[in-house]
Amino acid sequence: MKTNIPAIEGGTAVRETFLSFHQALLDEKEEFSVIQTLRSGWLTTGPKTKQFEAEFAKYARSEHAVAVNSCTAALHLALVAAGIGKVEEKEEKGEKDEVITTPMTFCATANVIVHVQADPVFVDVDPGTLNIDVNKIEEKITSKTKAIIPVHYAGCPCEMDKILELAKKYNLIVIEDAAHATETEYHGKKVGSISDMTAFSFYATKNLTTAEGGMLTTNSTELEEKIRVLALHGMSKDAWKRYSPEGYQHYDVLYPGYKYNMTDIQASLGLCQLAKIEDFLKLRQKHVAAYDEAFKDMEAIVRIGRIPDIKHAEHLYVIMLKTDMLNASRDKVLSALQKENIGVSVHFQALHLHPYYRQRFGFSEGAFPVTEYAAERILSLPLYPGLAEQDVCDVIEAVRKVIGYYSK
Ligand SMILES: Cc1ncc(COP(=O)(O)O)c(C=O)c1O
């Protein structure tokens, strides 16, 4: 028998079985495609990767797409290809390059800035979208600023017009972190075609998955050539080209490059997933509409990123709790939902308050108030194409029950 007492307080859970926060939707097409690749004898970067790059570039309306093994790799390559950081004389003079980004993101966005020995400069976020607040960027630009990495949080596009205007004014490179934003469009422009470079993630929980994987798109042929070489040891010819029927070709090492290439096994998953991406989005849009409708009258819940006139990738469904209206903290609500057998998550804790960033850059509480306020109150609900209607109803019932119980 169901009661209004949350399971965490001794009541009966909304669901008998646990609903995962995320589950990839794969079928016989992916299975067949991977088996085909395994049987082809060519496992690493080869014809499937080339095909995936071509199809993804078309989807992203970008001139070029380079497939890599993660979005982190794509972001790192973008910074290296743009010549950011790593200039020892500059460091000796205390003149390290700076890259502007947001503290409301996954650690990879800022970690790669540290990897190239540049300094991340955080700018606080907009409370409605949790995207970088474009009105606060200019005050952070100095003579050391070389790039801006906007993150399209949850799949909602950043205000790219303003970012590109600032980039033009101060001669900055723009690298979009589109880990959440494979399908996103900004006023009719496809993310992936807008700025200097755009990094996508195909991690297991992403809208398009290759288990692990990523893509870097650009409209610049010069950058594309550089990225391709950097992504595979800095070699002038990749294995696919070297072993071609035209005869063996030697390679030259042009840079001390990285091992970031995508395999054909991953690409064979990616091709199948890309073919379904818009259908998957329609399914998630249906779930989002159900959540929006259910929560619109709940005063203790603020829905994040619901803005008009854009194409939202609906990667995450994020709500912010007005904790002053509740007798429970966000973490208590998280635990209560888990006890109702609903998987939940947090995207993200404030990045600048993680131990490394506190110690290395001296950040402390109060540095980015909007991010910190949100980071204590947000939670992400299950949102994936394989959710059944009943699953969505269960999530709604659990949220209503838990929030109702703890409301003041
Ligand atoms: C905003 C953001 N950027 C970058 C990444 C890194 O992606 P990957 O795991 O493909 O390296 C993630 C991963 O979740 C992310 O959420």
Side-chain angles (χ1 to χ4, degrees):
M1 195 190 69
K2 289 182 180 174
T3 67
N4 286 332
I5 315 273
I8 201 170
E9 305 287 353
T12 309
V14 163
R15 284 175 66 97
E16 284 179 8
T17 55
F18 190 74
L19 178 69
S20 307
F21 173 70
H22 184 84
Q23 215 166 20
L25 191 55
L26 306 163
D27 63 24
E28 304 78 32
K29 287 208 174 90
E30 279 86 351
E31 288 170 18
F32 181 69
S33 182
V34 169
I35 289 169
Q36 239 186 356
T37 302
L38 297 179
R39 289 184 181 158
S40 77
W42 193 276
L43 304 183
T44 187
T45 315
K48 290 265 179 163
T49 307
K50 295 292 141 199
Q51 191 188 342
F52 184 37
E53 286 178 341
E55 291 189 18
F56 193 86
K58 196 166 158 216
Y59 178 73
R61 294 181 223 147
S62 174
E63 292 291 322
H64 309 283
V66 181
V68 288
N69 58 17
S70 69
C71 180
T72 308
L75 290 166
H76 185 201
L77 287 174
L79 290 168
V80 177
I84 290 160
K86 276 205 173 147
V87 184
E88 274 146 29
E89 317 85 74
K90 278 191 201 170
E91 204 175 335
E92 273 165 26
K93 287 189 215 152
E95 285 176 6
K96 284 175 85 178
D97 287 347
E98 293 177 351
V99 177
I100 288 176
T101 191
T102 158
M104 180 48 82
T105 185
F106 185 61
C107 57
T109 317
N111 286 350
V112 293
I113 300 170
V114 179
H115 292 167
V116 298
Q117 286 147 45
D119 284 344
V121 172
F122 294 124
V123 169
D124 212 349
V125 294
D126 174 273
T129 59
L130 304 188
N131 278 333
I132 193 164
D133 185 339
V134 291
N135 298 314
K136 293 183 181 155
I137 294 178
E138 194 161 15
E139 64 202 55
K140 293 290 183 82
I141 295 175
T142 70
S143 58
K144 298 181 203 168
T145 311
K146 294 292 179 298
I148 306 176
I149 306 184
V151 178
H152 305 299
Y153 178 85
C156 178
C158 296
E159 284 185 52
M160 293 308 299
D161 283 346
K162 180 77 185 171
I163 291 169
L164 292 173
E165 189 189 305
L166 287 170
K168 196 169 173 198
K169 185 169 168 190
Y170 294 98
N171 194 25
L172 308 176
I173 295 276
V174 177
I175 301 163
E176 288 164 75
D177 180 336
H180 301 179
T182 300
E183 305 91 330
T184 302
E185 288 180 18
Y186 173 74
H187 299 316
K189 287 190 196 132
K190 180 75 194 67
V191 163
S193 68
I194 301 171
S195 54
D196 296 292
M197 285 171 275
T198 306
F200 295 88
S201 175
F202 307 141
Y203 177 65
T205 59
K206 295 300 190 285
N207 293 354
L208 181 170
T209 186
T210 60
E212 297 281 357
M215 192 75 82
L216 188 57
T217 61
T218 179
N219 289 326
S220 156
T221 305
E222 194 188 330
L223 282 172
E224 185 244 355
E225 284 169 1
K226 226 169 172 177
I227 293 158
R228 237 173 238 299
V229 170
L230 283 165
L232 195 67
H233 303 296
M235 294 185 333
S236 56
K237 289 182 181 64
D238 61 35
W240 175 239
K241 285 188 196 140
R242 275 190 286 132
Y243 299 117
S244 75
E246 286 110 63
Y248 188 88
Q249 296 176 36
H250 289 290
Y251 63 84
D252 296 317
V253 175
L254 308 175
Y255 303 95
Y258 306 90
K259 183 73 166 94
Y260 283 164
N261 55 309
M262 177 178 277
T263 68
D264 266 22
I265 302 172
Q266 291 165 305
S268 51
L269 282 173
L271 282 163
C272 296
Q273 291 267 296
L274 184 60
K276 304 176 194 171
I277 195 164
E278 291 294 318
D279 290 338
F280 282 175
L281 175 60
K282 283 195 192 100
L283 292 168
R284 289 195 310 279
Q285 282 168 338
K286 217 172 95 191
H287 305 327
V288 166
Y291 285 153
D292 274 351
E293 183 58 27
F295 304 140
K296 73 170 193 249
D297 296 328
M298 293 182 69
E299 273 188 56
I301 289 180
V302 180
R303 291 164 293 145
I304 297 295
R306 315 315 305 157
I307 57 168
D309 299 331
I310 47 103
K311 183 177 173 190
H312 193 303
E314 310 295 4
H315 173 54
L316 299 171
Y317 192 88
V318 180
I319 56 173
M320 184 153 70
L321 304 177
K322 289 189 186 161
T323 44
D324 54 335
M325 297 177 70
L326 302 175
N327 288 312
S329 66
R330 185 274 315 274
D331 286 356
K332 179 80 194 235
V333 172
L334 281 177
S335 300
L337 289 170
Q338 294 270 138
K339 288 280 183 204
E340 297 298 327
N341 277 327
I342 303 294
V344 284
S345 190
V346 172
H347 301 86
F348 297 95
Q349 297 178 75
L351 184 51
H352 63 287
L353 297 180
H354 282 280
Y356 174 79
Y357 286 91
R358 280 179 186 267
Q359 284 153 25
R360 172 74 177 73
F361 298 102
F363 292 121
S364 58
E365 281 80 2
F368 305 103
V370 184
T371 297
E372 290 164 31
Y373 181 92
E376 295 284 308
R377 290 164 179 80
I378 45 177
L379 65 92
S380 308
L381 298 174
L383 181 61
Y384 44 98
L387 282 177
E389 258 174 54
Q390 187 56 50
D391 297 331
V392 174
C393 290
D394 290 345
V395 175
I396 291 168
E397 188 182 335
V399 171
R400 283 189 175 285
K401 178 178 164 185
V402 168
I403 298 297
Y405 183 84
Y406 290 117
S407 285
K408 281 183 184 166

